[in-house]
Amino acid sequence: MSSQEERQAQVDGARRHFLGLAGVTGARVAALSALAATTIFPASVAEAMGRRWWKKGGHGNGGKDRDPMCFLCGTAIMTKAGEISIERLKIGDLVKTVNGKDMAVKWIGRHVYKKNGASWPSSVVPIRVARHAIDPQTPHRDLYVSPGHALFIDGVLIRAKDLVNGISITPALPDDREMIEYYHIVLDTHEGVLAEGAAAETLLLKEGNHEAFTNFGEFARRHPAGKKSAMTPFAPIVGRDSGREHLKALLPVRVRRMLRIQQPARAAHERIALRAAQMIG
């Protein structure tokens, strides 16, 4: 057999192998494609995921779910008058949003948790986003948010717990304390504000989720039934889905490249983790 015939035989064999593999994995590709289409969750799906996750904790709100928690006490929020600790914000104060607008605070929700044992439940411990974890300027001080609180990165909203890398983003408290206080901001619409210089979401108001806060009665007085409506997320809400990642891993590299699946949460996690490793290296 000539060299040309040998090359042609190799090409034909590779083609047959690929076609056979494509047939075997066709169902996997179809399933993966369907899953990839849901990488960006509709608001209703994202909220449902949040409810399931927080329900596991069940701390501080009589066992109710839809527990938003949010910014740890002491977090500096950028306002028209400069940075102010979130617990010092007042209704009517103008906060800076990521789209450049100054918006008035409509309400501030508060959670209070007291330590009942030797350690805090994992659902209550905040996620620390270390200084400069995201980029060389962001955040400009350590930022502490609840695990389900979303940061605005690369044009999407990603929960803090989906960014944990064990180095620069990790569950932690700034000190040994017997009480944890969280605060959340309500604006007219769902927005991103600057917390310690990092873009983070305000409360995505849904029917009844204000009841998760200790001071929910104040919200009810200011916003009687019938005068409030659910908000629309200001950016896509994304998350890391281990099931989809596992299915993708079963596919050949060539097929994975052909699909060109966009995974903003995983991409952000990997980029931030790599930055953390380089900083300690």
Side-chain angles (χ1 to χ4, degrees), residues 128 130 133 164-170 272-273 275-280:
R128 183 193 67 192
V164 169
N165 56 43
I167 304 173
S168 63
I169 302 181
T170 185
I272 293 170
R275 173 176 172 75
Q278 291 173 339
M279 289 176 68
I280 66 173

Side-chain angles (χ1 to χ4, degrees), residues 19 23 26 34 36 39 42 49 53 78 85 99 128 132 143 162 165 188 193 205 252-254:
L19 291 175
T39 299
M49 289 177 66
W53 186 79
M78 181 59 69
S85 293
N99 58 18
R128 183 193 67 192
H132 299 171
L143 169 65
D162 284 337
N165 56 43
D188 274 335
V193 294
L205 194 62
V253 173
R254 186 182 303 181

Side-chain angles (χ1 to χ4, degrees), residues 178-196:
E178 297 300 313
M179 184 172 70
I180 293 176
E181 289 182 275
Y182 283 107
Y183 291 83
H184 217 335
I185 302 169
V186 174
L187 305 179
D188 274 335
T189 53
H190 186 231
E191 301 289 342
V193 294
L194 297 175
E196 306 294 5

Side-chain angles (χ1 to χ4, degrees), residues 4-277:
Q4 183 175 357
E5 289 173 332
E6 289 179 354
R7 286 195 298 271
Q8 185 61 46
Q10 291 172 353
V11 170
D12 291 341
R15 182 181 293 113
R16 285 193 298 272
H17 174 73
F18 176 74
L19 291 175
L21 184 58
V24 172
T25 60
R28 293 178 183 173
V29 174
L32 179 58
S33 298
L35 285 168
T38 63
T39 299
I40 296 178
F41 302 117
S44 58
V45 176
E47 186 203 6
M49 289 177 66
R51 286 203 300 267
R52 287 197 296 271
W53 186 79
W54 285 116
K55 192 171 183 179
K56 294 178 182 177
H59 301 284
N61 63 347
K64 295 179 181 178
D65 53 7
R66 291 181 290 181
D67 187 351
M69 299 213 286
C70 280
F71 300 105
L72 189 66
C73 178
T75 300
I77 305 297
M78 181 59 69
T79 73
K80 190 174 181 179
E83 287 191 325
I84 297 179
S85 293
I86 192 166
E87 68 273 16
R88 294 177 54 210
L89 282 177
K90 298 179 176 61
I91 293 173
D93 284 351
L94 296 177
V95 297
K96 295 281 186 182
T97 64
V98 295
N99 58 18
K101 295 188 296 185
D102 294 327
M103 296 186 67
V105 173
K106 295 299 182 183
W107 185 66
I108 302 170
R110 179 173 179 253
H111 289 280
V112 179
Y113 300 92
K114 293 184 179 180
K115 196 173 184 180
N116 292 322
S119 61
W120 288 100
S122 60
S123 58
V124 174
V125 176
I127 302 298
R128 183 193 67 192
V129 182
R131 178 176 179 265
H132 299 171
I134 298 173
D135 62 41
Q137 291 80 39
T138 313
H140 51 236
R141 284 184 294 272
D142 288 358
L143 169 65
Y144 294 86
V145 296
S146 57
H149 192 76
L151 303 182
F152 183 55
I153 300 174
D154 298 340
V156 297
L157 289 163
I158 307 172
R159 293 174 298 179
K161 74 187 193 81
D162 284 337
L163 296 169
V164 169
N165 56 43
I167 304 173
S168 63
I169 302 181
T170 185
L173 275 166
D175 51 45
D176 185 16
R177 56 182 68 188
E178 297 300 313
M179 184 172 70
I180 293 176
E181 289 182 275
Y182 283 107
Y183 291 83
H184 217 335
I185 302 169
V186 174
L187 305 179
D188 274 335
T189 53
H190 186 231
E191 301 289 342
V193 294
L194 297 175
E196 306 294 5
E201 67 173 336
T202 58
L203 178 61
L204 179 60
L205 194 62
K206 297 289 183 180
E207 184 178 357
N209 69 346
H210 67 281
E211 296 177 0
F213 294 96
T214 305
N215 59 332
F216 72 92
E218 178 188 22
F219 182 93
R221 290 192 299 273
R222 290 179 174 273
H223 305 277
K227 294 187 178 180
K228 58 181 181 293
S229 58
M231 295 177 177
T232 300
F234 77 92
I237 301 170
V238 303
R240 293 168 62 197
D241 185 332
S242 59
R244 180 172 60 253
E245 290 301 310
H246 176 69
L247 183 57
K248 181 187 172 188
L250 296 176
L251 298 174
V253 173
R254 186 182 303 181
V255 177
R256 279 182 267 168
R257 289 174 179 171
M258 288 170 59
L259 291 173
R260 297 182 184 279
I261 297 169
Q262 297 300 314
Q263 297 169 315
R266 180 163 293 276
H269 176 272
E270 291 177 354
R271 185 183 72 250
I272 293 170
L274 177 60
R275 173 176 172 75

